[in-house]
Amino acid sequence: MQTLARLSRTNIVGRSMRQYSSVSQQEIDNEPRFLECFKTFFDKAAGLTNLKPGVLNNMKECNVALRVEFPIKNEHGDVDIIAGYRAQHSHHRLPCKGGIRFSEEVDLQEVMALASLMTYKCAVVDVPFGGAKGGVRIDPKKYTIAQREKITRAYTLLLCQKNFIGPGVDVPAPDMGTGEQEMSWIRDTYQAFNTNDVDSMACVTGKPISSGGIRGRTEATGLGVFYGIREFLSYEEVLKKTGLTPGIKGKKIIIQGFGNVGYWAGKFFEQAGAKIIAVAEHNGAVFNPEGLNIDALNKYKLQHGSFIDFPGATNIHDSVKALEIPCDILIPAALEKQIHVGNCADIQAKIIGEAANGPMTPRADDFLNARGHIIIPDLLLNAGGVTVSYFEWLKNLSHVRFGRLNKKWEESSKKLLLEFVENTVGKKLSDAERGLVIHGADEIDIVRSGLDDTMTNACAETRKTAIEKNTDYRSAALYNAIMKIKAVYESSGNVFS
C-alpha cells in the first residue's frame, strides 16, 4: 500500500517563495487572530473603492455584541458557569442573520469576526440580512442531551430578554456543534415567551421539517460549495491558469473536515464523477488515489470515531499533512486559520475552495495568490447555508410550503402540452417518461433551483469584478459586497449621522 512518504511532491503552479521555505513556530503563532484576519482582507478590498475612510470604518466595525453567563448543573451535581455570546455586525438590513456554535474555542472576537463575515456573505449572494453570529463556550460532547437542552433554552431566554432574537431582529441558525435539534429548542423557547407573534416560527432557521424547517437546508452549504466550484471550472481564465479541463468529472479532491459541510460537499462531488482522494479530520486522515466512497467512509467514522484503518486507504495520523497532497481541488471545511504562513508553501492544490469560515490567513492568501493558485473565498463559496436559511425564513413568514400552491397547476399544464405534442407526432411516451416530463416542482426542487441560481449569479459577479479590477476573487467578492452595502446606506441614510 502506498504510504504518504512516497507521495510525489511536484510544484504544480510555479515555484515556492524562498522566504516561506522555513518559518518558525513563533511566526505561525504570531499570525493575526480571526477578527484581524477579516479586517485585513476588508482593508485590501476597500482599497479598490473610492469611499471615504469614515464610511469604510463604519462598515468594518461590529455594531453591538452581547456576553452572558448562566449556571447549569452538571451530572456530578456541581454547577457549571456557561458563557454565551451574540454579535450583530451590521443593521443596514434587518433582521441580522448568523449561526450559533457550541465550542470550547468560542470567544467574543471569534463571534465578532464571524458576524462581520456574515454581513458581506449575505451581500455577495443578495440575501437581505445584516450579519450576526453567536456561540456558547462548551464542548457539546461532554453534556447529555437533557443538559444541552437546558443550556440551549437558557441561552435563548437571555437572547429574548436582551432583544437579540426575533423574526425581524436577529435570526440564528445551526453552526459547528449545533443542528436541527438545538434550533427546534430555540424556536420552542422563543414561542413560549412570544405567544402573540404570528411569525414566531421565523425566529430561527435550520429547524426540522416538523418544526417549520425547509427541505434542502441540511445539505445546503455543501451543495452551494459544489455549485460554486462547478461554476469556476467553467471559466476560461481559471482553466488556463490551472491547466484543468472543464467540469467536475475526474477531478481529484481533498476535503478537510467531515462534518455536515464536508460530508455533503463530498457526496455531491462524488455523484458528479470526481474522486475524493483524501479526507481529513482532527484525529486523522485517510488517502486513496483511486477515490474514497463517501457513504462508506461516513458509516465507518460513525462506528469507529475516526477514519484510521478505513479499508483500502492509507492512514495519515498527522491529518494536517493531508492538505499538502497533490490534488486538483482542496476543500478546507473545518476550522479557521488551517492554511497559514507555516504550511502554505506546501499546498499543492490548483484550486482551493473555502467551505469553512476563515480557513486561510492573509499572509497565506497573498502567497498562494502570487504563486498562481485559484482561491474561491469563504464569503462566496459557503453562502449556500444562509441562502437556504433565507428561503426557510420566507417560508415561515408566508406560512405555506413552497410548491403547495402551484405544483398541480404546473403538472396539469405540462400534461395538456404533452398530449398535444403526442397527438401531433403520433407517438406516446411511456408512463415513466410521462412522469418525468409533467412532474411539478416540489419544495426541494424549488430550493435547489434557487440555490443554483444564487450561486451562479454570485460567482459570475465575482468573476466580472476580479477581471475588471485585476484582483483576486476574495477582494472582488468583498468589493461587490461593500458597494452593495454602500448603496443601502446612500438610499436610506444614517439616522443621527
Side-chain angles (χ1 to χ4, degrees), residues 77-365:
D78 296 329
V79 174
D80 294 339
I81 302 300
I82 308 295
Y85 306 88
R86 187 71 180 174
Q88 296 175 351
H89 172 261
S90 176
H91 297 131
H92 76 286
R93 289 275 180 90
L94 288 175
C96 295
K97 190 80 183 73
I100 293 174
R101 58 175 52 183
F102 285 2
S103 167
E104 289 184 312
E105 305 301 318
V106 166
D107 60 20
L108 190 58
Q109 73 84 29
E110 182 184 66
V111 296
M112 289 173 68
L114 290 165
S116 303
L117 185 61
M118 278 299 299
T119 292
Y120 299 94
K121 186 185 299 186
C122 290
V124 164
V125 292
D126 293 322
V127 169
F129 294 143
K133 208 72 176 186
V136 178
R137 196 166 63 220
I138 62 167
D139 179 353
K141 296 178 182 178
K142 294 180 179 179
Y143 290 87
T144 65
I145 293 176
Q147 289 169 333
R148 290 203 307 272
E149 179 178 357
K150 289 180 180 179
I151 291 169
T152 303
R153 290 184 183 276
Y155 173 71
T156 305
L157 175 58
L158 288 167
L159 293 183
C160 290
Q161 291 174 343
K162 305 299 182 183
N163 197 32
F164 266 70
I165 186 172
V169 178
D170 191 343
V171 180
D175 200 276
M176 183 175 63
T178 61
E180 288 184 345
Q181 181 60 79
E182 287 77 12
M183 300 307 108
S184 186
W185 290 330
I186 290 173
R187 188 269 308 169
D188 184 66
T189 305
Y190 178 84
Q191 287 185 319
F193 290 93
N194 295 270
T195 55
N196 294 325
D197 185 354
V198 69
D199 294 325
S200 59
M201 192 78 75
C203 72
V204 64
T205 60
K207 305 180 294 292
I209 301 299
S210 59
S211 294
I214 193 169
R215 292 157 184 85
R217 175 61 182 88
T218 301
E219 68 270 24
T221 307
L223 183 55
V225 170
F226 172 81
Y227 287 148
I229 292 175
R230 179 202 66 189
E231 289 304 301
F232 272 78
L233 284 172
S234 70
Y235 297 161
E236 182 180 350
E237 65 276 12
V238 171
L239 301 177
K240 182 178 180 181
K241 199 170 188 178
T242 61
L244 295 173
T245 56
I248 299 294
K249 190 173 183 179
K251 300 297 184 293
K252 295 182 178 180
I253 297 175
I254 294 172
I255 299 173
Q256 184 205 29
F258 204 62
N260 175 277
V261 179
Y263 167 76
W264 282 107
K267 191 167 180 65
F268 287 117
F269 279 110
E270 182 182 56
Q271 290 174 354
K275 290 183 178 181
I276 314 301
I277 63 170
V279 178
E281 265 285 352
H282 65 95
N283 56 357
V286 285
F287 168 79
N288 185 335
E290 300 305 314
L292 299 161
N293 182 286
I294 292 298
D295 281 333
L297 188 64
N298 186 51
K299 183 178 180 180
Y300 184 89
K301 180 176 179 289
L302 291 174
Q303 290 176 343
H304 298 87
S306 78
F307 300 136
I308 298 301
D309 294 332
F310 179 70
T314 302
N315 293 332
I316 307 173
H317 291 279
D318 184 2
S319 63
V320 177
K321 292 298 181 183
L323 303 179
E324 302 169 9
I325 299 173
C327 64
D328 298 319
I329 303 165
L330 170 62
I331 302 176
L335 299 173
E336 58 266 13
K337 297 173 61 176
Q338 296 299 295
I339 301 174
H340 48 73
V341 68
N343 65 1
C344 61
D346 296 318
I347 300 297
Q348 300 185 69
K350 301 175 183 181
I351 295 175
I352 302 167
E354 295 184 340
N357 288 315
M360 191 178 301
T361 66
R363 287 180 66 185
D365 183 75

Side-chain angles (χ1 to χ4, degrees), residues 40-55:
T40 300
F41 289 135
F42 179 93
D43 289 341
K44 182 180 178 182
L48 301 173
T49 74
N50 59 358
L51 300 181
K52 295 179 180 179
V55 174

Side-chain angles (χ1 to χ4, degrees), residues 402-438:
F402 290 132
R404 181 171 184 176
L405 301 182
N406 59 305
K407 179 182 177 180
K408 286 300 182 181
W409 182 86
E410 286 182 9
E411 290 181 346
S412 297
S413 300
K414 289 178 180 179
K415 185 177 179 181
L416 289 173
L417 179 61
L418 179 59
E419 289 174 350
F420 173 78
V421 172
E422 286 179 331
N423 292 333
T424 301
V425 301
K427 182 180 178 180
K428 299 288 185 180
L429 296 182
S430 67
D431 290 341
E433 291 170 333
R434 286 177 65 86
L436 288 173
V437 172
I438 69 174

